[in-house]
Amino acid sequence: MSDEGTRQDVVPPDYAAGAGLPWWAKVASKLAIAALRVPPALLRRAGVNRHSFIAESESRVLHEPCTRAGEFANRQGRPPRGVLELGPGRLVVRAPAYAALGCAPVWFADVEDDAPEDPAAYARVAELARGIGLPAPVLEGLPNKAAVLAACGARQLIGGTEVLAAIPDSSVELIVSDVVLEHVRRDALPGLLAELRRVAAPNCLGVHAVDFHDHVGGALNTLRFPPGFWEGPLVARSGLYVNRMGLSEIRAAFAQAGFATRLRDIRRWPASPPGAGAAHPSLSRRAEDDLIAFARIEALPV
């Protein structure tokens, strides 16, 4: 597919820099916490390694599902029948929105369960959907999250790529991931994309937002670390892990799995950020990839 019409923005050099600490101090603190083996759920309750601090805003829980389903409907003349969200975290609360849009069945696949247990969180989204005229299911009075998801025609799949085996072949018409693919381990990404190709219907639309910057301090300083350390268990536990693949590598992996890709929008640094020139030689990154901070990729099966 052609990239003609891609929206391109230039971001400031300190894009996604976060708190005003040196990048190495942030990395060291994350690694120190990981070495203590504090349970992930406890860290999230303390505000560390949370999926998103705005996960339950109206924009995210209602408007984004409407937008993605609308993009499919603009192409096919109807809502998608079968939706897969990768790594939704707390955004499992979108289930009533998808039900109101007529998108069932819906699968939410994640490595751990961070979705709210309180049915009231889902009832709130259903009420928001009804507020804009959508026929959301009535969820008041349901006893737990499991009952809510069943009423919405939705299901959680918790674990690695293997959990996608529960989804029938060619049954998904909309696949969504939001800053998820960069966290998939480098050696696991081909298998994940192969599974997405298996479950994708012939008319499937995939929309994947990918951050290419470090997740502490922005820039590309994590490229400095050798793979033997970066792919090890300490980094995996720390919440620091990104697979350090550039845009061209991600697109090549999609192509290998049987998807054609198009860039919807990209954000570029004005010049190579800190760390790009010090990348470990084994990474063999393209120079043009070192300018890309973010991309939204459309993927269609071929």
Side-chain angles (χ1 to χ4, degrees):
M1 291 189 291
S2 170
D3 289 331
E4 183 178 353
T6 300
R7 174 181 172 178
Q8 300 195 34
D9 294 309
V10 177
V11 299
D14 61 350
Y15 176 73
L21 294 173
W23 71 270
W24 52 265
K26 296 177 183 178
V27 169
S29 64
K30 289 270 193 176
L31 293 176
I33 293 171
L36 297 174
R37 296 181 178 271
V38 179
L42 182 60
L43 288 174
R44 286 197 301 276
R45 286 197 294 271
V48 180
N49 293 349
R50 289 187 62 185
H51 286 268
S52 173
F53 286 98
I54 59 170
E56 293 174 78
S57 67
E58 183 174 345
S59 173
R60 301 223 70 191
V61 301
L62 180 60
H63 298 160
E64 287 184 11
C66 288
T67 296
R68 296 292 169 246
E71 291 168 357
F72 181 90
N74 287 340
R75 297 166 183 245
Q76 304 294 332
R78 58 170 177 79
R81 298 172 185 145
V83 174
L84 169 61
E85 280 215 24
L86 300 175
R90 296 184 63 82
L91 290 177
V92 173
V93 296
R94 287 173 169 171
Y98 282 121
L101 291 163
C103 296
V106 178
W107 293 272
F108 296 100
D110 213 331
V111 294
E112 58 187 17
D113 185 357
D114 195 33
E117 293 292 332
D118 186 354
Y122 303 83
R124 170 181 170 267
V125 177
E127 183 62 28
L128 290 173
R130 284 191 287 272
I132 61 171
L134 294 176
V138 176
L139 304 177
E140 289 76 6
L142 294 181
N144 51 41
K145 178 180 68 175
V148 166
L149 293 180
C152 294
R155 179 179 174 187
Q156 274 188 290
L157 304 174
I158 304 300
T161 299
E162 72 282 352
V163 302
L164 299 181
I167 304 175
D169 293 1
S170 305
S171 61
V172 177
E173 295 188 325
L174 177 64
I175 300 175
V176 177
S177 72
D178 190 4
V179 293
V180 169
L181 295 185
E182 68 268 27
H183 295 289
V184 177
R185 298 191 70 81
R186 178 180 283 260
D187 60 358
L189 186 63
L192 171 63
L193 296 182
E195 273 296 277
L196 297 188
R197 182 63 183 87
R198 178 187 66 79
V199 304
N203 60 346
C204 181
L205 170 64
V207 183
H208 304 275
V210 185
D211 278 336
F212 293 97
H213 57 77
D214 297 343
H215 283 49
V216 285
L220 292 173
N221 284 301
T222 58
L223 298 182
R224 302 170 185 267
F225 296 99
F229 168 74
W230 193 254
E231 299 293 330
L234 184 62
V235 173
R237 292 197 304 271
S238 71
L240 286 170
Y241 184 82
V242 288
N243 55 39
R244 306 189 291 180
M245 298 173 70
L247 175 59
S248 64
E249 293 175 279
I250 292 286
R251 295 187 77 177
F254 269 107
Q256 183 66 33
F259 291 96
T261 59
R262 180 179 74 86
L263 296 181
R264 290 189 170 192
D265 55 90
I266 59 175
R267 299 172 194 165
R268 298 178 181 272
W269 283 292
S272 295
H280 194 274
S282 66
L283 295 179
S284 302
R285 285 171 60 98
R286 295 184 181 180
E288 60 267 28
D289 283 348
D290 290 343
L291 295 173
I292 307 299
F294 169 88
R296 195 178 308 277
I297 302 169
E298 179 179 297
L300 304 178
V302 294

